[in-house]
Amino acid sequence: MNQLLDAVPTRAHERRRSARFQPAFGTVCRVGPANSRRTSGLVWDLSATGVSMLMADPPAEGEIVPAELVMEIGTERLAVELMIVHVRPVSTGDYFVGARFERSLSADEMAPFVTPDASRPLPAAPLSA
């Protein structure tokens, strides 16, 4: 099996609140303030409430950091704030990072960054009060 897939930790018990989606090719998350050196993570999966990614130099667990979802090619960008939930080393020397968004993303915000899948539509926009 693919060495990278073997390296990513899995859990028997799922704690996810939102459906996870496969990222579109070239989706990365740039972590850190816009006016400083940022570190990038390769997005592994994405949901309305969070993101999982592979990173070489991750923030610490519990840290709240500004970030931006971007496409390596193209102009799509989405500023988000992340709360780092877990950081786990993988056999490749990188880290598997799970982060929660400060606020849930709408389907329109997620659409540019996920692979379309007609069998799993994106979540409906949250109702406003």
Side-chain angles (χ1 to χ4, degrees), residues 1-64:
M1 187 166 214
N2 181 319
Q3 181 183 7
L4 188 55
L5 290 177
D6 290 341
V8 176
T10 59
R11 290 187 170 201
H13 176 64
E14 291 289 336
R15 294 181 292 150
R16 299 174 178 165
R17 290 187 220 166
S18 302
R20 300 279 172 115
F21 296 91
Q22 180 178 346
F25 182 77
T27 301
V28 296
C29 186
R30 294 187 181 141
V31 178
N35 59 353
S36 70
R37 181 175 119 29
R38 292 177 146 186
T39 185
S40 291
L42 176 63
V43 174
W44 190 259
D45 64 30
L46 181 68
S47 75
T49 58
V51 62
S52 294
M53 58 192 145
L54 291 169
M55 299 183 81
D57 186 23
E61 242 177 69
E63 201 171 337
I64 297 173

Side-chain angles (χ1 to χ4, degrees), residues 65-93:
V65 293
E68 185 177 48
L69 290 171
V70 299
M71 300 301 295
E72 287 181 330
I73 299 173
T75 59
E76 296 295 338
R77 295 179 164 346
L78 179 64
V80 293
E81 189 165 284
L82 303 176
M83 157 63 131
I84 306 302
V85 177
H86 65 78
V87 177
R88 295 192 180 95
V90 294
S91 63
T92 60

Side-chain angles (χ1 to χ4, degrees), residues 83-105:
M83 157 63 131
I84 306 302
V85 177
H86 65 78
V87 177
R88 295 192 180 95
V90 294
S91 63
T92 60
D94 292 320
Y95 296 86
F96 187 68
V97 178
R100 185 174 55 235
F101 296 128
E102 171 197 353
R103 63 172 180 81
S104 293
L105 303 183

